[in-house]
């Protein structure tokens, strides 16, 4: 009987303030969308870091014939220079920093270049002699690139030392900035949602002030009087959260998985499975915030 009464009051309240209820749903939806985007973006950053942490290498490119780099002066690295680099890589001082070293000669470098640029005029213009030999170094700690760079940058016969992390750093930086922006917007919209829920519940309570006064006189508990208003706010927030989850699923399924991921197959993107982790957080957060806002409004403003 009590449950039926509470539900009927919730329906009446939402119908009486339908415009405000829709506003609560929309603002909650938008705020949780930003929260969801921030969480999914952070998951995306973690996926990229996990995939590339063990694959990132430092490449030590040796001079090739005709190389215009000042350190090469148009001459290819000699066998003694190659041996010096190899000996230094195998030294006891660098051993703790290095997990594996792979040497790529001109023939293999030319084959890789020809395969990579098979559809380009570069492939037909290149020759095997133009390809630089290189040492590809897998680091035990990818963040210690500076150790290898400082050791080999100035060695004779070395054209350059390149860190593959530079290829993914712009992507990670962009994603981290997007996370911060989404989190900031989410904070602003969450405050707006809480204030709107508070206002909605306050107006709903004031419109039924006579009814709640009679209920108090006949001995109804404060919780029983306040329950319809709290459920009203929580239900509106829940609907907003479900709409936000649906919008995020559509974005991940159709935009990320259906459009972006096929074009960038080397990057692991978030999936619907990751959304299953984020969705419960959004739903619980919406309900908790709505209940807190409702309780605050009823205690401070309506004084039911």
């Amino acid at each position: 009987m009590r449950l039926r009464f509470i539900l009927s009051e919730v329906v009446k309240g939402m119908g009486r303030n339908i415009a405000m209820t829709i506003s609560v749903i929309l603002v909650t939806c938008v705020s949780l969308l930003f929260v969801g985007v921030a969480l999914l973006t952070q998951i995306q950053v973690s996926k990229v870091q996990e995939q590339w942490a063990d694959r990132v290498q430092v490449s030590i490119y040796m001079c090739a014939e005709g190389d215009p780099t000042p350190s090469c002066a148009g001459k290819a690295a000699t066998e003694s220079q190659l041996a010096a680099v190899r000996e230094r890589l195998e030294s006891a001082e660098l051993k703790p920093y290095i997990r594996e070293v792979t040497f790529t000669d001109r023939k293999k470098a030319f084959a890789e270049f020809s395969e990579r640029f098979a559809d380009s005029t570069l492939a037909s213009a290149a020759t095997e002699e133009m390809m630089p030999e290189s040492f590809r170094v897998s680091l035990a700690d990818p963040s210690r690139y500076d150790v290898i760079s400082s050791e080999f940058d100035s060695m004779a016969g070395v054209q350059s030392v390149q860190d593959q992390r530079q290829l993914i750093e712009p992507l990670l930086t962009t994603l981290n900035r997007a996370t911060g922006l989404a989190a900031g917007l989410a904070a602003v919209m969450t405050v707006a949602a809480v204030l709107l829920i508070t206002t909605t519940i306050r107006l709903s309570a004031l419109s039924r002030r006579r009814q709640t006064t009679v209920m108090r006189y006949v001995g109804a508990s404060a919780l029983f009087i306040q329950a319809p208003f709290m459920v009203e706010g929580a239900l509106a927030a829940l609907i907003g959260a479900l709409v936000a989850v649906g919008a995020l699923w559509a974005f991940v399924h159709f935009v990320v998985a259906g459009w972006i991921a096929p074009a960038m197959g080397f990057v692991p993107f978030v999936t619907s499975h990751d959304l299953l982790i984020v969705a419960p957080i959004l739903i619980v957060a919406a309900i908790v915030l709505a209940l807190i806002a409702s309780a605050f409004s009823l205690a401070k403003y309506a004084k039911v």
Side-chain angles (χ1 to χ4, degrees):
M1 183 65 181
R2 289 189 174 186
L3 178 60
R4 183 183 300 175
F5 172 77
I6 292 174
L7 293 178
S8 66
E9 289 299 306
V10 169
V11 173
K12 290 178 183 177
M14 296 182 72
R16 187 180 293 113
N17 302 301
I18 189 167
M20 293 294 290
T21 300
I22 294 175
S23 299
V24 170
I25 293 173
L26 292 177
V27 173
T28 303
C29 173
V30 173
S31 62
L32 292 179
L33 270 176
F34 285 120
V35 174
V37 168
L39 292 175
L40 288 175
T41 305
Q42 198 54 49
I43 293 174
Q44 179 67 63
V45 171
S46 300
K47 282 177 175 285
V48 174
Q49 288 177 331
E50 288 174 7
Q51 184 192 40
W52 290 96
D54 295 332
R55 300 185 185 183
V56 167
Q57 295 178 323
V58 175
S59 296
I60 304 173
Y61 290 101
M62 307 301 294
C63 293
E65 194 67 36
D67 194 323
T69 306
S71 59
C72 297
K75 297 181 180 180
T78 64
E79 289 298 325
S80 61
Q81 290 171 339
L82 286 168
V85 172
R86 185 178 287 107
E87 182 180 351
R88 187 58 184 157
L89 286 170
E90 296 172 353
S91 65
E93 292 85 356
L94 293 182
K95 188 176 181 180
Y97 301 98
I98 297 174
R99 189 172 72 243
E100 184 182 7
V101 176
T102 304
F103 177 70
T104 303
D105 58 19
R106 291 190 183 91
K107 183 177 181 180
K108 185 177 180 181
F110 181 68
E112 291 178 352
F113 181 87
S114 300
E115 181 180 356
R116 183 176 180 180
F117 297 98
D119 299 329
S120 173
T121 55
L122 292 173
S124 59
T127 63
E128 188 173 307
E129 290 71 23
M130 296 169 61
M131 297 296 107
E133 296 175 299
S134 63
F135 295 89
R136 298 177 183 177
V137 184
S138 297
L139 301 178
D141 181 1
S143 65
R144 297 309 306 271
Y145 155 77
D146 58 318
V147 174
I148 304 299
S149 177
S150 61
E151 285 287 337
F152 296 97
D153 255 340
S154 58
M155 283 191 69
V158 175
Q159 180 213 55
S160 62
V161 181
Q162 296 183 9
D163 181 14
Q164 291 182 353
R165 285 191 311 163
Q166 297 172 353
L167 301 176
I168 63 171
E169 281 298 331
L171 174 62
L172 294 177
T173 300
T174 301
L175 290 174
N176 280 320
R177 288 176 179 174
T179 301
L181 178 61
L185 292 173
V188 173
M189 294 304 299
T190 299
V191 171
V194 170
L195 292 176
L196 188 56
I197 292 172
T198 301
T199 302
T200 302
I201 298 304
R202 179 189 177 190
L203 291 176
S204 181
L206 289 174
S207 68
R208 286 179 277 176
R209 190 175 185 85
R210 179 176 297 179
Q211 177 183 340
T212 55
T213 301
V214 172
M215 293 174 65
R216 190 186 308 114
Y217 285 153
V218 298
S221 66
L223 179 60
F224 182 72
I225 296 172
Q226 295 176 8
F229 304 104
M230 298 177 70
V231 173
E232 183 180 329
L235 184 57
L238 175 61
I239 295 173
L242 293 176
V243 174
V245 170
L248 287 172
W249 178 87
F251 177 77
V252 170
H253 183 74
F254 294 108
V255 178
V256 176
W259 180 39
I260 301 177
M264 302 178 66
F266 58 91
V267 177
F269 285 96
V270 291
T271 64
S272 299
H273 177 74
D274 298 306
L275 187 58
L276 294 178
I277 301 173
V278 174
I281 298 175
L282 300 181
I283 293 172
V284 171
I287 295 174
V288 170
L289 284 175
L291 290 176
I292 293 174
S294 300
F296 177 79
S297 177
L298 292 170
K300 186 174 180 180
Y301 296 109
K303 301 184 185 299
V304 297

